[in-house]
Amino acid sequence: MEIQELQKKDVSFKEFQEANDMHIQDVRNIMNELALKLMVAGVTHDYTKKSDEKLFYKNFLSTINNNTDFVGDEWYQLHIKNERHHLLSRCPEDVNLIDILEMITDCVCAGMARSGDIRPIEIDNNILNKALVNTTEMIKNMITVK
């Protein structure tokens, strides 16, 4: 996305309006790109539960029938390696606020479906700060100033 830089000090009202309109449109465009990324995260959420469903089922049964460690099992390790939203188990280096929103949504939906309630969601401040910095950089990289 291209953004035009405005550096004149003596700006006419028409130039001001054009710059104002451009800024509003620029923000709209970036927000639309972010919304698309959020939609993609929703569409691909927990894809390993389907792509490796037999292994997931095997590990699930082993946990409830044999008291094995589900988190240490093969499927869960594959799951957290390939999916970005399990930030407390494995936080990607380029974590962003879309990952944060997916994690929050996942926790709320799982809690409500399983018990009708949610546990407090805790995300380390370092992860939140890194997500903020990375999201800022992601947005910056969406922009070309002309």
Side-chain angles (χ1 to χ4, degrees), residues 45-141:
H45 176 78
D46 278 352
Y47 70 91
T48 55
K49 285 185 176 177
K50 294 306 285 178
S51 66
D52 295 279
E53 193 167 26
K54 287 184 180 179
L55 180 61
F56 177 33
Y57 178 67
K58 176 185 161 207
N59 289 172
F60 171 77
L61 286 181
S62 180
T63 299
I64 60 173
N65 293 326
N66 305 326
N67 237 5
T68 59
D69 176 25
F70 184 76
V71 170
D73 239 333
E74 185 181 1
W75 177 82
Y76 188 78
Q77 292 304 307
L78 175 111
H79 181 62
I80 63 170
K81 178 182 174 216
N82 291 303
E83 307 231 14
R84 299 178 55 91
H85 64 281
H86 287 279
L87 304 177
L88 303 181
S89 297
R90 188 193 141 277
C91 181
E93 201 53 41
D94 62 342
V95 62
N96 58 57
L97 294 174
I98 293 165
D99 301 324
I100 301 284
L101 288 172
E102 184 177 1
M103 178 184 169
I104 293 168
T105 305
D106 188 31
C107 291
V108 171
C109 289
M112 295 304 290
R114 293 177 187 149
S115 69
D117 200 5
I118 58 170
R119 291 181 278 174
I121 299 169
E122 296 178 17
I123 303 174
D124 183 89
N125 283 336
N126 292 326
I127 292 174
L128 291 170
N129 287 329
K130 186 184 263 192
L132 175 63
V133 168
N134 289 340
T135 303
T136 302
E137 191 65 24
M138 178 175 63
I139 291 169
K140 181 182 166 192
N141 290 334

